[in-house]
Amino acid sequence: MDIAVQAGLILLLGIAFFLIIGVPISIGVGISSVLAMFTIVDFDDGLLTSAQRMFTGINSFTLLAIPFFILAGVIMNNGGIATRLINCAKILAGRMPGSLAHTNILANMLFGSISGSAVASAAAVGSTMGELQAKEGYKREFSAAVNIASAPTGMLIPPSNIMIVFSLVSGGTSIAALFLAGYLPGILWGIACILVALFISKKRGYKSQIQISWKQRLLVILDAIPSLLLIVIVIGGIIGGVFTATEGSAIAVVYSLLLSFLYRSIKIKDLPNILLEATRTTSIVVFLIGVSSIMSWVMSFTNIPRLIADLLLSITDNMIFILLIMNIILLIVGTFMDPTPAVLIFTPIFLPIAESFGIDPIQFGIMMVLNLSIGTITPPVGPVLFVGVRVAKLPIESVIKPLMPFFLVSIAILLLVTFVPSISLFIPELFGLLK
């Protein structure tokens, strides 16, 4: 049997087996990659090469941005920032029918973009907005669906950890360009959710319950400005070339910590638990990147990406069909695999195929992130879906039907991003970040 076929089967069947028996994805990828390595070199050299590849994979200055952004997100979760953003979202929602649902969506977009975590957004915003909507007569299933469907917008609206991972594994795609490219798709997803919520709210007679004087509106907006300034400072500094993404992530930590102390929502005694929580999340991500580096080396050495490309191109050489096949595969993968390992595994396989059709790596990166973001709200393993129903205290099957309209519009946004390159590339091109 050809060495590439052997290695490919070990990787594919190994990862699938470990997922089925419930082994963490990082462990499954690591063991499968090391076993595949043994088809190329002997045992001793295989272990040595695996260790070297793990170290090389995580020995990156750019990678430091991930733990800093994770820490900044944890600080924000505990620092009273979510409440201020929700209050600001109430003002933005105005007096539209179903205004509390729109508040939930806008708050997820704001909080998700600052924290960079869809799961944290679903938990922080959903726990507050769910009860408010229930008191005003909204069905809990509808409220949960709104929260779940809109939480992943923060994976597209920067700063986004998953885009940093894509930049690393794609060979150094500009993080600044990726960040800017995520704005329009993320905002379009949020607007699509608002339109669905508006239609359902009108149909069910959900009225606006937000009665705030202009003076109160001004005070709420002023209270939220320091939190919103974080986006301006970090993203503006990265785009303007004032500092790198890694330096920007460190600034985000300092700024969010000072803001939380100013709000008196975090005390010195809270810092050890905050650091511990951030360390746990960071260790998972960094270990995944390390073991995926072994897998990437195996695939590169055995030319597995080229073999898969040849297989796809033997089916059709039509770019539209190739992109549809990629989207279908990524949507399926996203239903049972977290975005980070999926990006690490499938970018080396699909990106060369996309580039052969003249697709810009930035557009492909946004397409991939959007695909996998949809996977986070899709059963059976969607993490945002499970957090959303847990916060709402509902069984998962009860939110599937109300979630379907939101799921359909997210697919529509995905197709737009896939086949209309300007949606992703317009803003990076405007700032002169495209080659």
Side-chain angles (χ1 to χ4, degrees):
M1 186 183 294
D2 183 78
I3 188 173
V5 176
Q6 291 182 47
L9 285 174
I10 290 172
L11 284 172
L12 178 64
L13 298 178
I15 293 172
F17 170 75
F18 288 119
L19 281 174
I20 290 170
I21 65 174
V23 173
I25 181 68
S26 55
I27 303 297
V29 169
I31 295 174
S32 301
S33 300
V34 173
L35 291 176
M37 178 75 76
F38 295 150
T39 65
I40 302 171
V41 294
D42 60 33
F43 183 80
D44 290 340
D45 289 339
L47 290 180
L48 178 61
T49 304
S50 298
Q52 288 174 336
R53 295 313 306 172
M54 281 191 70
F55 177 79
T56 303
I58 61 176
N59 184 27
S60 167
F61 176 73
T62 304
L63 186 60
L64 283 173
I66 293 179
F68 278 125
F69 276 130
I70 289 173
L71 177 56
V74 175
I75 292 170
M76 292 172 208
N77 290 349
N78 293 274
I81 293 173
T83 303
R84 287 165 175 81
L85 293 177
I86 289 172
N87 291 336
C88 182
K90 287 180 183 178
I91 304 298
L92 296 175
R95 296 174 176 270
M96 290 190 296
S99 56
L100 288 178
H102 309 315
T103 297
N104 194 325
I105 295 168
L106 290 169
N108 271 334
M109 293 172 70
L110 292 171
F111 186 75
S113 67
I114 293 177
S115 69
S117 171
V119 171
S121 185
V125 178
S127 59
T128 301
M129 292 307 304
E131 292 303 318
L132 288 176
Q133 291 177 74
K135 289 177 182 177
E136 299 298 340
Y138 291 66
K139 285 189 176 181
R140 285 188 175 273
E141 292 80 4
F142 169 71
S143 300
V146 167
N147 183 49
I148 292 164
S150 58
T153 54
M155 296 174 66
L156 288 161
I157 303 173
S160 170
N161 289 332
I162 195 68
M163 290 183 188
I164 297 172
V165 174
F166 176 83
S167 172
L168 288 169
V169 76
S170 64
T173 305
S174 168
I175 295 176
L178 284 167
F179 278 3
L180 285 179
Y183 272 112
L184 277 181
I187 292 170
L188 284 175
W189 187 347
I191 291 173
C193 289
I194 288 174
L195 291 175
V196 172
L198 181 62
F199 175 80
I200 295 173
S201 297
K202 280 187 174 181
K203 189 176 178 181
R204 295 182 179 176
Y206 295 148
K207 304 295 183 183
S208 171
Q209 304 294 334
I210 300 174
Q211 304 293 334
I212 304 175
S213 68
W214 284 105
K215 182 179 178 180
Q216 289 173 313
R217 290 170 188 264
L218 181 60
L219 290 174
V220 167
I221 291 173
L222 289 174
D223 193 35
I225 283 176
S227 300
L228 295 172
L229 274 177
L230 178 62
I231 303 174
V232 178
I233 293 170
V234 174
I235 303 302
I238 294 171
I239 303 307
V242 179
F243 41 73
T244 65
T246 303
E247 292 163 346
S249 64
I251 290 170
V253 171
V254 175
Y255 186 90
S256 57
L257 190 59
L258 290 175
L259 201 58
S260 298
F261 282 140
L262 181 66
Y263 290 151
R264 297 182 180 179
S265 50
I266 286 181
K267 298 179 176 62
I268 297 293
K269 67 178 182 180
D270 300 323
L271 291 181
N273 287 332
I274 288 173
L275 291 170
L276 182 60
E277 183 181 346
T279 302
R280 285 170 178 159
T281 305
T282 299
S283 62
I284 295 169
V285 175
V286 172
F287 184 67
L288 261 172
I289 293 171
V291 295
S292 295
S293 297
I294 306 172
M295 181 185 62
S296 296
W297 186 89
V298 171
M299 290 196 298
S300 176
F301 188 89
T302 55
N303 284 321
I304 289 175
R306 183 182 61 78
L307 293 175
I308 295 175
D310 292 341
L311 178 62
L312 280 177
L313 293 173
S314 69
I315 299 172
T316 178
D317 59 357
N318 185 296
M319 182 183 73
I320 294 175
F321 285 114
I322 291 290
L323 288 174
L324 286 174
I325 290 170
M326 287 184 186
N327 277 324
I328 291 169
I329 292 173
L330 289 171
L331 283 172
I332 293 171
V333 166
T335 63
F336 62 85
M337 187 179 290
D338 283 342
T340 298
V343 166
L344 291 166
I345 292 170
F346 287 94
T347 298
I349 296 173
F350 287 158
L351 181 57
I353 302 174
E355 288 182 312
S356 70
F357 284 102
I359 296 171
D360 193 286
I362 293 169
Q363 181 197 354
F364 178 78
I366 299 302
M367 184 189 89
M368 175 173 257
V369 172
L370 181 50
N371 256 298
L372 299 172
S373 298
I374 294 172
T376 65
I377 65 174
T378 310
V381 193
V384 174
L385 175 64
F386 276 88
V387 168
V389 295
R390 188 167 70 244
V391 167
K393 299 175 184 177
L394 292 170
I396 191 169
E397 59 271 12
S398 68
V399 302
I400 299 302
K401 185 177 178 180
L403 193 58
M404 285 306 296
F406 296 98
F407 182 77
L408 292 175
V409 296
S410 67
I411 295 295
I413 299 300
L414 172 61
L415 292 175
L416 281 174
V417 169
T418 301
F419 297 111
V420 184
S422 58
I423 293 176
S424 301
L425 302 180
F426 172 71
I427 299 181
E429 188 173 19
L430 193 66
F431 280 80
L433 294 175
L434 295 185
K435 295 179 181 178

